[in-house]
Structures are given as structure tokens and as C-alpha cells.
Amino acid sequence: MFCAIIADGFAAGRDRPFPFGGRAMERVTLKARRREETGSNRVRRLRLAGLVPGVVYGRGREPMPVAVDGRALREALRTHAGLNVLIDLAVGNGEGQPATVMVKEIQRDVIRRDIIHVDFYAIDLTRTLEARVPLVFVGQPAGVAEGGVLDIHLREVVVECLPTAIPDQLEVDVSGLGVGDSIHVRDLRLPPGVTMVSAPDEAVASVVQPRVAEEAAPAAAEAPAAETPAAPAEARPAGDARTPEARPEKTRPERGPRAE
């Protein structure tokens, strides 16, 4: 299973309080209620009341429409784990065991960027899954002092692990890169219990020579060509009442349809 999720994560650092500089996996509780309302009008009323409509689904369970408090959902997603946060979703009046879920997908308003829908995926804490983990680059490459430029190729990688072991982030130390050197996915350090899914030969970062600007063309080539003498005006016989040629009308620039 592949979860299209974004993380913050474990760092491959040194002398940190957590292994690889990571943080303990974030876990929060979120209340939800079963949503019986269907149709755009009823969903719109939910949003006006500060609720976010959503659905819970997963392996071996029927999809269940729910609604959660918008403010509580935003707070849950502001943890260090980002969308990789583990959520104990309590549906109804708190009766029964909460379902452990992760955010599979969120939809936002294109203008206000408010969350307007959320998909929760019910997970099994004993089964591994794939997750996207961002890369954090630290250090000043040695090649930059030599005139090189740091070129970043990847901003995140895909790993596989248990839900409780998803790194917040992976730290990439680029201080040892000289001009012409590269770091690949296979060079990244991973916390215990985490395996890499991204292609090992994919480049993560490199230091390259700056591109040299193209030389300017010779000044002689840039010099404007000598102006051609204007041809003498055509002589007209006296009394010639030739009608002058009509001047072309000025055209307006083309524009697309105007929104009402």
C-alpha cells in the first residue's frame, strides 16, 4: 500500500537526543461523528458550522462518512509528523475502540486554502506501509568555496516501515561534497526498522560548475547596418487627381473572453 502523505521526520544527525536526530512518533486523538448527510447542500451546511466532511476506509472495512471539527483537524496536522501523524479517531459518543488512522488525502479550497474534505485510512500498527519523507540538507559544501554550485535533485524519498517508525525527516550532510561530487539515495542513513523504496541510484544532490555565460557577439556584428538612402518621391503630373491610398486601420490586441 502506498500512502500519498507528506512528513517532517527523523534526521541522520549526530549527538542528538533521538536516534538519527528524529522525534518520537506523534500520536493524537481526534473526535468525529458519523455523517448521515449527503448532497452538496448538506455538506455546505457542515462547512458553515466549522466541520470538515470526510470518509474513513481501509483494508477489510466499508467506507464510513464522517465529519470532524475543522480547528481540531488543523491542530492535529501541525505536529512535527505533518500528514504522517497517527490519529486515534473516536467516532460517535466515544463508545467502542477508536480507529487508528492516517490522513490519506486532503482537499483544499482553491482560494482560501481551507480544508474542505479529508480521507482517513484505517491502518494496522503491525503492518508496514510506504510513506514519503522529506530531506533536510545541512552543511556548506566544500565545492561551493571553490566556485561550485549546490544542485538539489530530490526533496523527499519513499521509505517502508511500521506506522510508528515513520521518520519525520532525513538529514543529508552535504559538507563533504566537492566540485563534481554527488550524493545518491543509497548513501542516505536510515533509522533502524526503515527500508528505502526509492531507487538507490537516483541522485539526491551534487556540486557542479556554474554555467559560463555565452560570450557577447563581436561589436562589428552588433553594429546596425547602414541605412539605405530613401528613394526619391515619385513625380506626378500636374493636375493628377490620383486618390491617395487608404491607410490600414489600427487593430486592437486580441483578448480572451472577459469574466462577468
Side-chain angles (χ1 to χ4, degrees):
M1 177 192 69
F2 177 76
C3 293
I5 50 186
I6 306 172
D8 263 280
F10 265 148
R14 297 175 294 275
D15 301 326
R16 303 288 182 89
F18 294 101
F20 293 85
R23 303 179 178 93
M25 173 53 60
E26 298 279 358
R27 191 164 183 172
V28 300
T29 299
L30 186 64
K31 294 182 179 180
R33 70 175 176 85
R34 186 184 293 269
R35 176 167 55 92
E36 304 295 343
E37 302 89 344
T38 58
S40 58
N41 290 334
R42 295 184 178 182
V43 168
R44 188 179 300 110
R45 285 197 293 268
L46 284 176
R47 294 181 180 130
L48 290 176
L51 300 176
V52 176
V55 62
V56 182
Y57 58 95
R59 185 189 301 270
R61 63 181 300 159
E62 292 293 327
M64 178 175 62
V66 296
V68 298
D69 181 75
R71 179 178 299 179
L73 177 61
R74 291 192 297 271
E75 290 298 324
L77 298 180
R78 287 188 182 130
T79 64
H80 295 302
L83 293 187
N84 282 341
V85 62
L86 299 181
I87 300 175
D88 292 321
L89 193 66
V91 182
N93 298 325
E95 301 177 356
Q97 189 71 17
T100 303
V101 302
M102 297 182 70
V103 174
K104 176 81 174 199
E105 181 178 286
I106 57 176
Q107 299 176 20
R108 295 183 181 272
D109 182 90
V110 295
I111 303 299
R112 299 188 304 271
R113 304 303 298 163
D114 296 334
I115 299 176
I116 59 175
H117 193 273
V118 58
D119 286 6
F120 295 110
Y121 191 89
I123 61 173
D124 183 347
L125 296 178
T126 64
R127 298 176 63 95
T128 62
L129 49 74
E130 294 183 0
R132 296 184 183 274
V133 178
L135 302 177
V136 175
F137 298 87
V138 298
Q140 178 73 8
V144 172
E146 303 169 1
V149 177
L150 177 62
D151 194 1
I152 303 298
H153 305 289
L154 279 184
R155 296 287 181 179
E156 63 181 15
V157 292
V158 179
V159 301
E160 182 178 359
C161 59
L162 292 173
T164 54
I166 299 175
D168 288 340
Q169 63 188 19
L170 293 175
E171 194 171 275
V172 184
D173 187 356
V174 296
S175 59
L177 289 180
V179 176
D181 293 339
S182 299
I183 294 178
H184 296 82
V185 169
R186 61 176 176 269
D187 302 319
L188 301 180
R189 295 177 59 199
L190 298 175
V194 179
T195 57
M196 184 64 68
V197 177
S198 297
D201 294 333
E202 193 167 2
V204 174
S206 59
V207 175
V208 297
Q209 287 283 7
R211 295 180 179 179
V212 180
E214 295 182 1
E215 297 182 358
E222 295 181 356
E227 296 184 359
T228 304
E234 180 184 357
R236 296 182 182 177
D240 186 358
R242 181 188 302 176
T243 304
E245 296 181 1
R247 296 182 180 179
E249 295 182 0
K250 295 182 179 179
T251 59
R252 296 182 179 180
E254 295 183 3
R255 293 188 176 94
R258 180 177 179 180
E260 296 296 336

